[in-house]
Amino acid sequence: MNIYQERTQNLRALMQEHKIDAFIILSADPHLSEYLPDYYKSRVFMSGFKGSVGTLVFTQKQAYLWADGRYWLQAEKELVGSGISLQKQDSKNTFLTWLKENFDKTQQIGVDFSVLSLELFKELKKFTTPIHKDLVGLFWKDRPKLPQAQIYEHEEKYCSHTRKEKLQLIREQMSKFKAQNHLISSLDDIAWITNLRGADVNFNPVFLSHLLILENEALLFVDKNKLSKELEKKLEHEGFLVKNYDTLMQELQKLQNTSLLVEPAKMTALLIQSLDQSVQIIEAINPSTHLKARKSSKEIAFIQEAMIEDGIALCKFFAWLEEAVAKNEKINELDIDEKITAFRALSPLYISNSFATIAAFNENAALPHYKASKEGFSWLEKDGLLLLDSGAQYKNGTTDITRVVPIGKINKEQIHDYTLVLKANIAMSKTIFPKDIAMPLLDSITRASLWEEQLDYIHGTGHGVGYFLNVHEGPQVLSYFAPVLEKTKAKEGMITSIEPGIYKAHKWGIRLENLVAHTQVENPKNKEFGEFLYFKILTLCPFEPDFIDFTLLDEKEKTWLNAYHKKVEEKLAPRLQDDKKALEWLKKRTAKI
């Protein structure tokens, strides 16, 4: 019996004691974040599965992990010996559909309400009886402590609005909903509203907190040890009263005969259950979500500067890699992560990476979210390709880029696949589209060149990106897997990734990613059909000419590629004059076709 089987045994004993028929373990924390502090990684503790998303369900006889297509190969490896079976999640097979088919209201489903969204709680209540229990916490003896990183201000020169102005913008939206109060638990929303940043969550410059906006003041619930006295006084002077993190429930219980605006997908069931019954709950998307998604022209200008910092680091890294490979130096995937991070860290504006670097050689690249570790990694010691998906948090912007480069010799099939992925990227990049179109409807444009050859990929084409905030930010999503909703409409100022791919199991994976800004079409040919937007490319790094079959590109695609490479060369070359190898690497790849 291994450690995960022992933990399952402990959990089942507690389930029996508490008369629980099934127990759910979510990938979540009280802020419903994507990346979790170690304290809340209950799913990893119970299963060994380290993917960023997945849901466990235990009964007395069964144990399942639901994970989507990005993680199937990884989960199959990491679940070996755990006694937990992989459920390949898709639109028809989710943990909710399984529970609906196997349980009813006479049975009790246990779940920790402190990490359960109000939205999911309502779904569970439709067909069963959910009860609040944190059973894992009862036997997790060496549970990590909550993070204690210091909170600091996002420098005023980088911000388009003061925190007082943002508070006013939120209150204006609250009045439209006729909401007297507004509770926010999502960390990126709070960081954006307060113009504060932290380091409580890996890769995201956020801090554990809740924000309760009342009619005349705003209560910021945070561990006071993370704030300097000077910053606390400044916040109070600007309308934010600082309260201890663990006093939120007490403050919520004081609300009587009033209204409270919450977003069900970003609010936990436990907090809502603590409210007096006289409180009217108004459910809507957090106003700050739309406000922060639409970057100002000032913010986009700063992001473009961050892209130059990132582009310089990438040129230096790829020049180093090319030389190291030519010299037959021993390099592994962990070295790649360390080296690209070191080049980015040379920038005085660098804060951290924006997500865990994916450095994947050959067959590892067929796993879209592969992560090399000390326990498992590959050496770059034979012919093939390296996929590098990486990014950084700079004071003036967040970056996320994927490129694929040859290691030694490459074959015709790899060149063909790379070219198809490039065509898919270009197709989306040069698309002009109506303002307010639901972005999932655009995804087929990206995939058309792959579909012609009966190819596809099992992840979305793009996600929103924050401004020195979360690398995955809503509300927009560029994916035909996503539902067409009001909140997914394309708005000017949004930053979105474009990242099509081809993944061939046990062979290779190719993904090419740029970030783009939704920009209004200037001098439109027609004005009577509404406003139109296009994607302004922000990322600055050339594609790999050795991987491109130019006979597969049409003239418009060649024109786009030449224009992009010209822009990359013009922006980066002046900053690389002191590094001849990086400059030579850049110029070779940006030469006109």
Side-chain angles (χ1 to χ4, degrees):
M1 182 181 293
N2 71 17
I3 191 168
Y4 301 112
Q5 290 173 324
E6 286 179 20
R7 290 169 182 171
T8 297
Q9 195 173 61
N10 290 336
L11 178 63
R12 283 175 170 152
L14 287 168
M15 287 168 61
Q16 199 161 24
E17 181 183 332
H18 292 276
K19 296 181 170 58
I20 291 171
D21 297 291
F23 192 77
I24 304 169
I25 297 177
L26 302 164
S27 300
D29 66 6
H31 309 279
L32 302 168
S33 307
E34 177 185 8
Y35 295 105
L36 309 178
D38 289 345
Y39 179 89
Y40 292 107
K41 292 181 179 177
S42 301
R43 190 208 66 230
V44 179
F45 174 77
M46 287 299 299
S47 69
F49 171 61
K50 299 181 182 69
S52 59
V53 185
T55 303
L56 290 169
V57 176
F58 292 89
T59 68
Q60 285 300 333
K61 293 183 177 179
Q62 298 153 306
Y64 294 124
L65 168 76
W66 273 265
D68 65 46
R70 295 172 294 171
Y71 301 107
W72 291 346
L73 293 175
Q74 178 183 346
E76 284 169 352
K77 284 183 182 178
E78 293 178 344
L79 292 177
V80 170
S82 68
I84 299 168
S85 301
L86 172 65
Q87 288 275 2
K88 293 185 175 181
Q89 180 178 309
D90 56 27
S91 60
K92 295 178 182 177
N93 179 27
T94 68
F95 77 95
L96 271 178
T97 57
W98 186 84
L99 287 170
K100 284 178 185 176
E101 290 169 3
N102 292 278
F103 292 86
D104 58 38
K105 284 190 176 288
T106 65
Q107 294 164 295
Q108 295 196 119
I109 305 290
V111 60
D112 182 356
F113 283 14
S114 73
V115 300
L116 174 69
S117 73
L118 178 59
E119 185 177 64
L120 186 51
F121 172 73
K122 288 181 174 182
E123 283 297 312
L124 287 170
K125 277 194 75 175
K126 288 178 183 177
F127 63 89
T128 189
T129 304
I131 62 169
H132 169 49
K133 293 288 179 186
D134 176 18
L135 296 184
V136 176
L138 298 177
F139 61 89
W140 192 349
K141 293 179 181 177
D142 299 320
R143 192 168 193 169
K145 289 182 167 50
L146 288 173
Q148 291 291 318
Q150 284 295 297
I151 297 169
Y152 58 95
E153 290 197 82
H154 189 199
E155 293 170 47
E156 195 172 319
K157 67 180 179 180
Y158 297 122
C159 302
S160 287
H161 300 282
T162 66
R163 57 178 70 94
K164 286 181 74 173
E165 289 170 339
K166 288 179 177 179
L167 208 51
Q168 180 58 34
L169 289 170
I170 301 290
R171 287 197 171 109
E172 288 172 8
Q173 295 297 313
M174 287 168 60
S175 66
K176 292 180 181 178
F177 290 108
K178 296 182 180 178
Q180 294 163 289
N181 313 281
H182 179 27
L183 178 59
I184 307 167
S185 291
S186 42
L187 303 183
D188 57 333
D189 285 292
I190 296 170
W192 181 85
I193 294 166
T194 59
N195 286 343
L196 299 175
R197 298 295 188 268
D200 282 348
V201 180
N202 284 344
F203 314 118
N204 296 336
V206 296
F207 49 95
L208 298 183
S209 56
H210 300 274
L211 182 63
L212 179 58
I213 301 176
L214 309 174
E215 289 180 284
N216 299 311
E217 63 182 352
L219 308 182
L220 178 63
F221 298 87
V222 67
D223 184 338
K224 287 191 174 187
N225 293 322
K226 298 176 183 178
L227 282 173
S228 68
K229 292 297 180 185
E230 293 77 17
L231 183 51
E232 185 175 341
K233 286 179 183 177
K234 188 175 181 181
L235 286 166
E236 290 184 10
H237 178 70
E238 295 175 353
F240 293 83
L241 185 63
V242 178
K243 296 273 190 179
N244 280 317
Y245 180 75
D246 56 6
T247 62
L248 172 61
M249 300 269 275
Q250 297 166 32
E251 291 295 332
L252 289 177
Q253 288 163 4
K254 292 178 185 177
L255 297 178
Q256 304 273 336
N257 300 307
T258 188
S259 56
L260 181 69
L261 173 64
V262 299
E263 181 174 351
K266 294 185 177 182
M267 182 56 51
T268 65
L270 189 65
L271 292 180
I272 296 304
Q273 287 197 339
S274 71
L275 294 167
D276 186 84
Q277 289 188 346
S278 67
V279 177
Q280 178 195 358
I281 304 296
I282 299 169
E283 297 183 1
I285 191 168
N286 289 338
S288 49
T289 296
H290 285 300
L291 291 168
K292 70 177 168 57
R294 300 184 66 178
K295 280 67 176 175
S296 68
S297 56
K298 177 182 176 180
E299 289 169 335
I300 289 175
F302 276 123
I303 292 167
Q304 288 175 308
E305 291 179 13
M307 292 294 174
I308 293 174
E309 296 290 322
D310 213 52
I312 290 164
L314 288 159
C315 288
K316 290 176 180 285
F317 164 78
F318 283 123
W320 164 82
L321 178 63
E322 185 175 62
E323 184 177 37
V325 170
K327 290 180 178 178
N328 292 316
E329 291 183 18
K330 281 185 69 66
I331 306 167
N332 64 44
E333 294 164 334
L334 298 175
D335 298 327
I336 297 296
D337 184 3
E338 186 179 320
K339 204 72 178 180
I340 184 61
T341 299
F343 278 117
R344 283 190 167 111
L346 293 174
S347 168
L349 298 172
Y350 173 87
I351 298 295
S352 73
N353 287 350
S354 55
F355 57 97
T357 299
I358 299 171
F361 184 57
N362 280 351
E363 63 269 21
N364 293 337
L367 305 171
H369 280 237
Y370 170 80
K371 176 73 176 78
S373 66
K374 290 179 181 178
E375 295 76 37
F377 61 87
S378 291
W379 292 89
L380 281 61
E381 58 185 3
K382 55 190 178 208
D383 294 333
L385 56 82
L386 173 72
L387 182 151
L388 179 62
D389 187 349
S390 64
Q393 298 285 3
Y394 299 95
K395 291 180 182 180
N396 55 350
T398 302
T399 68
D400 180 3
I401 174 175
T402 309
R403 290 294 185 266
V404 174
V405 293
I407 303 296
K409 295 177 182 177
I410 51 177
N411 62 46
K412 288 182 179 180
E413 189 181 353
Q414 290 168 333
I415 291 170
H416 183 78
D417 287 353
Y418 183 102
T419 308
L420 289 180
V421 174
L422 177 61
K423 284 171 71 69
N425 188 293
I426 293 173
M428 190 76 267
S429 300
K430 63 186 184 70
T431 295
I432 295 174
F433 51 95
K435 175 187 169 186
D436 289 336
I437 190 171
M439 291 194 65
L441 299 177
L442 297 176
D443 194 13
S444 59
I445 297 171
T446 322
R447 298 174 190 260
S449 59
L450 304 183
W451 288 348
E452 283 181 13
E453 300 206 13
Q454 295 78 59
L455 294 164
D456 205 352
Y457 47 98
I458 52 177
H459 57 74
T461 292
H463 55 83
V465 178
Y467 173 57
F468 183 31
L469 271 174
N470 295 4
V471 74
H472 294 152
E473 175 184 272
Q476 79 272 31
V477 57
L478 181 53
S479 171
Y480 78 98
F481 300 115
V484 174
L485 302 172
E486 178 72 21
K487 68 180 183 180
T488 64
K489 286 184 175 180
K491 304 286 185 181
E492 185 178 7
M494 287 178 163
I495 307 293
T496 302
S497 71
I498 298 174
E499 46 185 309
I502 292 174
Y503 307 93
K504 294 186 172 176
H506 312 298
K507 294 172 74 176
W508 58 75
I510 293 167
R511 181 167 64 253
L512 299 172
E513 175 186 18
N514 283 342
L515 299 190
V516 297
H518 300 205
T519 308
Q520 188 162 354
V521 171
E522 298 169 8
N523 305 314
K525 296 175 182 177
N526 295 285
K527 296 183 179 179
E528 63 267 34
F529 296 95
E531 295 179 41
F532 284 77
L533 304 176
Y534 72 97
F535 291 128
K536 179 187 287 184
I537 314 298
L538 299 174
T539 303
L540 298 171
C541 185
F543 295 101
E544 188 58 55
D546 288 348
F547 257 128
I548 302 172
D549 180 351
F550 291 104
T551 66
L552 295 179
L553 300 186
D554 62 29
E555 288 307 310
K556 286 185 178 180
E557 290 166 335
K558 290 176 184 176
T559 299
W560 184 94
L561 189 60
N562 279 330
Y564 175 66
H565 280 164
K566 182 182 179 185
K567 175 185 174 183
V568 171
E569 197 270 338
E570 288 174 349
K571 294 288 185 182
L572 300 184
R575 295 278 301 274
L576 290 170
Q577 296 303 313
D578 61 344
D579 189 330
K580 290 183 179 179
K581 289 177 182 176
L583 183 61
E584 183 183 337
W585 181 91
L586 172 69
K587 286 187 172 292
K588 178 183 174 184
R589 283 154 184 80
T590 55
K592 188 175 180 179
I593 300 168

